[in-house]
Amino acid sequence: MSILLDRNIEKQLLEILEKFDLKFSKIDDFYFVDEKFPGITAKLFEMERYEDSSVVIQLDIHILLPNNRIIESFVSHAFSVEEAIAETLEQFEVNLLHVLIAGFWEEAKRVENGVAVDEWEINGHRWQIVVGNYGYKGSLPIEEIVLDEMFDVIEEEILSFPLEEDIYGIRSVYTNVGDGRRVAEALINNREFTTLENRISNLPWSRVDDYYSVRNFILAMKLEDK
């Protein structure tokens, strides 16, 4: 059973945001730039504790939008809570923060981060697409693991999805556990994206005994029609 940890994770979250010259004010439980959406906050959970004293920590980043909320979760297994928290915050910065900066916070300090911004036509409407870089965890070289086909199937599935809301967050993850188990996950605004999940699962991933995980996050925002 997960336990909500009584840790001031928001202080550490703000320290990361301030590295990019982002200045936030707090309204209720969320932090906003110039009091404009999106709001952002974080919650931390202890998911498991083992006999060797190692722990599994889950960091939930809540992104508050005008009509919905996107939650992105990051998990770490480490020998101390502090080490696990540090790793999940690093995952957040690499996998999610730069997508949010490119999509919402123009005033942020820009750094080279592998994020791409494009414009797609979907269902007769124009969409701004912010593509995050691949988040990778594992001991093998990333170029031996990450497949170009992963983005191809993500793009194809988004282009064919009946987008009815104004903003979507699409999370895609593939994990090779290392004991023969392989797990794929695809979510769109925190709902199961079954067709994408199945296609990611069936890609020709390396079947090795080592643990690895590949993650991608895409932000899709509907543009006003010209």
Side-chain angles (χ1 to χ4, degrees), residues 8-26 29-33 40-42 61 89 92 97 105:
N8 188 5
I9 190 66
E10 291 185 356
K11 179 180 178 181
Q12 291 167 273
L13 173 67
L14 288 176
E15 288 175 352
I16 293 174
L17 298 173
E18 288 169 355
K19 292 195 314 184
F20 300 94
D21 296 338
L22 289 165
K23 304 299 181 184
F24 284 78
S25 58
K26 191 172 186 180
D29 293 329
F30 286 86
Y31 289 91
F32 295 82
V33 175
I40 187 169
T41 193
I61 300 293
L89 285 169
F92 155 69
L97 176 58
W105 299 319

Side-chain angles (χ1 to χ4, degrees), residues 53-188:
S53 297
S54 65
V55 294
V56 177
I57 296 297
Q58 178 173 308
L59 171 69
D60 285 356
I61 300 293
H62 293 245
I63 306 160
L64 183 65
L65 300 166
N67 298 312
N68 65 354
R69 180 186 304 198
I70 297 171
I71 303 172
E72 278 295 284
S73 299
F74 303 92
V75 177
S76 173
H77 181 194
F79 282 100
S80 71
V81 171
E82 290 73 18
E83 183 182 352
I85 291 173
E87 184 175 299
T88 56
L89 285 169
E90 182 181 2
Q91 292 176 46
F92 155 69
E93 182 175 342
V94 172
N95 299 162
L96 177 61
L97 176 58
H98 295 297
V99 176
L100 299 180
I101 287 174
F104 299 114
W105 299 319
E106 295 181 354
E107 58 271 55
K109 181 172 68 176
R110 300 290 167 157
V111 297
E112 183 62 37
N113 50 52
V115 171
V117 180
D118 201 356
E119 187 174 308
W120 297 355
E121 183 172 324
I122 308 173
N123 300 335
H125 297 284
R126 296 180 306 118
W127 292 77
Q128 178 175 292
I129 306 295
V130 185
V131 181
N133 56 11
Y134 288 115
Y136 173 68
K137 293 197 297 181
S139 59
L140 297 171
I142 186 172
E143 59 271 13
E144 294 182 11
I145 299 300
V146 173
L147 302 173
D148 292 337
E149 297 98 316
M150 183 176 184
F151 178 74
D152 293 339
V153 299
I154 293 171
E155 179 180 12
E156 289 170 9
E157 289 297 323
I158 293 174
L159 287 170
S160 63
F161 194 85
L163 302 181
E164 298 175 346
E165 300 176 39
D166 292 333
I167 301 177
Y168 287 89
I170 301 98
R171 178 210 304 173
S172 307
V173 184
Y174 181 84
T175 302
N176 187 80
V177 180
D179 58 2
R181 289 183 295 141
R182 294 174 294 277
V183 181
E185 178 188 56
L187 299 177
I188 183 164

Side-chain angles (χ1 to χ4, degrees), residues 28-46:
D28 296 327
D29 293 329
F30 286 86
Y31 289 91
F32 295 82
V33 175
D34 297 330
E35 300 185 357
K36 297 177 182 178
F37 287 103
I40 187 169
T41 193
K43 297 183 184 298
L44 195 65
F45 299 88
E46 181 179 305

